[in-house]
Amino acid sequence: MMAEEGTQQLPYVRETVLKKRKVNEDWAIKNRERKAAKRQRRRDDGKGAIKRPEDFVREFRNKELDFVRMRTRLKVRKLPPAESLSSKLIFAIRIPCTTDLHPHMRKILRKLRLTQVLTGVFLKASEATMKRLLVVEPFVTYGFPNLKNVKELIYKKGRGFLDKEPFPLTSNDLIEKALGEHGIICLEDVVHEIATVGPHFKEASNFLMPFKLKCPERRLQMKKKPYKDGGDSGNRTLAAKYESLGGEVKWMGKPDKVIYTSAMSLAGVSNAHECITVGDSLHHDIKGANAARVASAFITGGIHAAELGLDEIGETAGDDAIDSLCLMHGSYPTYVLPSFTW
């Protein structure tokens, strides 16, 4: 009786299902073997290949031409100031291109951690970063992701480094071990640090491996042209594309002062001293108010609460912490409030 109770009957599986599983497993094994043999043939063919002198001349000319075009871009194109960009966060992707890169461009791509094709990294929008992207513009494409994009990328394709060993982001213990000294102890902290471009953005970005992306359904054109000119490289914002088609683009958004002056005109106010800006973002709300010369009230209990060491709503931050944070963002509020209720 006890033996009968201890035994459990296995679930019934139809024979056709078992055969299908066996066929799929055999096909997967053969497919892996076929791909491995193909890679080995390519390596063997490359070892015995003989380059003609014309190939060396063509590669050298392409490298020098890319270098000349790069110097021309740096002279002709004016880099927008980092403060005028719509976001402080950039996601750059290495796109397929020829392998005959100039050593200087290869060095810049290595600094950006874009050494492999169809890999992407998060970058901070600074003048140095924008200059590097301009140097390697024919070989990368980039845009400004939002919080949803950051969260989906890290959750779906994120992998981290710990002791020079990659691992999937499935354990908060490993994240705390790698970034705990910077106050990042879980996956949500990594997402927040990247999305807000926090003070430890560099450590969090270097902790993440470059994201390996799939080839898009629409094949890339393999042209060294900017996206706005019909190619694949460069800035992929919609405004840049529309501007290239002859449309007039007006950049409106914090911290640009245009949105403040437009709001004042809609409200029928002509004097900036009669207005006040209330916000919790030093980079967007307060910096825009400084540009428009409008008084501002900084709410410390918002998105900067963790940076100021605040745990509860209404808690007052220290003067030294507020001063250092304002100095880091280059924003200076007129008033500071712990919370705000409308």
Side-chain angles (χ1 to χ4, degrees):
M1 188 68 180
M2 295 295 293
E4 293 179 358
E5 293 179 356
T7 58
Q8 295 182 357
Q9 186 177 3
L10 295 175
Y12 173 74
V13 182
R14 290 185 298 177
E15 185 178 359
T16 55
V17 175
L18 295 175
K19 288 183 178 180
K20 183 65 175 177
R21 290 178 182 174
K22 185 67 170 60
V23 170
N24 290 339
E25 291 175 358
D26 294 341
W27 179 86
I29 294 173
K30 292 180 180 179
N31 191 33
R32 285 196 296 268
E33 293 176 352
R34 184 169 63 252
K35 288 183 177 180
K38 187 176 181 180
R39 287 194 296 267
Q40 186 62 37
R41 281 199 306 272
R42 286 181 178 177
R43 285 194 288 266
D44 295 340
D45 294 341
K47 292 179 181 178
I50 299 176
K51 281 190 175 182
R52 296 178 299 177
E54 294 84 356
D55 297 333
F56 289 101
V57 173
R58 183 173 59 254
E59 289 183 4
F60 179 78
R61 286 180 176 175
N62 289 337
K63 291 180 182 179
E64 292 302 316
L65 185 59
D66 285 338
F67 186 71
V68 171
R69 288 173 178 170
M70 179 266 293
R71 296 180 63 180
T72 304
R73 283 196 303 272
L74 292 177
K75 288 182 179 179
V76 176
R77 299 263 294 274
K78 292 184 179 180
L79 289 172
E83 295 80 7
S84 65
L85 297 176
S86 59
S87 174
K88 293 181 65 177
L89 181 64
I90 296 175
F91 187 72
I93 303 173
R94 172 79 182 274
I95 59 177
C97 61
T98 56
T99 57
D100 48 343
L101 294 175
H102 193 274
H104 181 68
M105 295 187 179
R106 197 180 296 275
K107 180 181 178 181
I108 298 298
L109 288 171
R110 190 163 52 248
K111 288 183 178 180
L112 294 174
R113 301 196 302 151
L114 293 174
T115 56
Q116 295 184 5
V117 175
L118 292 179
T119 56
V121 294
F122 289 110
L123 303 171
K124 184 178 180 180
S126 61
E127 293 183 2
T129 302
M130 298 304 297
K131 185 176 180 180
R132 288 177 178 176
L133 290 175
L134 185 60
V135 169
V136 296
E137 186 182 69
F139 313 108
V140 298
T141 182
Y142 61 92
F144 303 95
N146 54 24
L147 177 60
K148 181 182 178 182
N149 303 141
V150 175
K151 188 178 295 185
E152 289 181 350
L153 274 171
I154 294 179
Y155 280 9
K156 293 181 180 180
K157 297 182 177 294
R159 292 175 65 85
F161 275 117
L162 181 61
D163 297 332
K164 298 183 180 180
E165 290 292 332
F167 68 93
L169 301 179
T170 55
S171 173
N172 288 333
D173 295 335
L174 296 176
I175 296 175
E176 184 178 4
K177 187 177 180 181
L179 299 173
E181 59 181 350
H182 305 296
I184 302 174
I185 61 175
C186 61
L187 189 58
E188 288 76 11
D189 290 344
V190 176
V191 173
H192 178 268
E193 193 71 20
I194 294 294
T196 60
V197 193
H200 301 292
F201 172 83
K202 183 178 180 180
E203 290 79 4
S205 178
N206 292 335
F207 163 74
L208 295 172
M209 290 182 60
F211 297 89
K212 293 184 178 181
L213 309 174
K214 293 183 179 180
C215 187
E217 295 180 358
R218 181 190 67 83
R219 293 180 60 86
L220 298 175
Q221 302 179 33
M222 301 291 290
K223 296 179 180 179
K224 295 180 180 180
K225 289 184 179 181
Y227 176 71
K228 64 179 183 179
D229 295 336
D232 295 311
S233 62
N235 191 350
R236 279 186 172 250
T237 57
L238 181 61
K241 182 68 174 179
Y242 180 71
E243 192 174 24
S244 67
L245 297 175
E248 182 181 1
V249 176
K250 292 184 178 180
W251 299 91
M252 296 186 65
K254 296 180 289 187
D256 196 341
K257 67 178 182 180
V258 177
I259 192 170
Y260 293 87
T261 55
S262 300
M264 290 169 56
S265 63
L266 289 174
V269 179
S270 58
N271 192 353
H273 297 288
E274 300 177 3
C275 304
I276 186 170
T277 298
V278 181
D280 63 343
S281 174
L282 286 172
H283 176 71
H284 296 94
D285 302 320
I286 308 304
K287 182 172 286 188
N290 294 157
R293 297 183 179 181
V294 177
S296 59
F298 172 48
I299 310 302
T300 58
I303 62 173
H304 295 292
E307 300 174 63
L308 295 172
L310 304 178
D311 298 325
E312 298 179 358
I313 298 176
E315 186 178 358
T316 304
D319 294 338
D320 295 338
I322 295 175
D323 292 339
S324 61
L325 190 63
C326 292
L327 184 63
M328 182 179 65
H329 287 273
S331 306
Y332 305 96
T334 311
Y335 309 98
V336 177
L337 302 175
S339 61
F340 181 80
T341 303
W342 182 255

